[in-house]
Amino acid sequence: MKKINGVTLCYGLSALLFVAFMISTMIDYSRYNRTLNSAPFYIWIVVNAIYFLLPAVVAFIIGVALKKKQQVV
């Protein structure tokens, strides 16, 4: 059985979170109704970014750090 590389795992997780952000934002846009919501739609995008993009960036940075660490050794 092949060993899972930590760098690949971090990059994959980052990509999955980015795709989840895009899908969640599209779903929110289709459900958004201006007359029923007092908050503008960009607030929904900011909340999705906090939920999905912030962890994606953290996972990507960890992947870069692991890759640099593996290249040094």
Side-chain angles (χ1 to χ4, degrees):
M1 192 167 175
K2 187 176 177 182
K3 183 179 176 183
I4 297 176
N5 188 358
V7 175
T8 306
L9 182 68
C10 287
Y11 288 158
L13 178 63
S14 180
L16 284 175
L17 285 168
F18 179 75
V19 170
F21 166 75
M22 296 301 289
I23 291 171
S24 178
T25 302
M26 285 187 277
I27 290 171
D28 287 344
Y29 181 74
S30 68
R31 293 180 180 171
Y32 184 76
N33 189 348
R34 291 179 191 216
T35 58
L36 296 177
N37 294 322
S38 62
F41 185 69
Y42 73 87
I43 298 295
W44 293 56
I45 294 173
V46 170
V47 170
N48 284 342
I50 291 170
Y51 285 157
F52 295 109
L53 292 183
L54 187 62
V57 169
V58 170
F60 185 79
I61 291 171
I62 291 172
V64 169
L66 288 175
K67 188 173 184 176
K68 285 184 180 182
K69 185 177 179 181
Q70 287 177 354
Q71 289 177 350
V72 171
V73 174

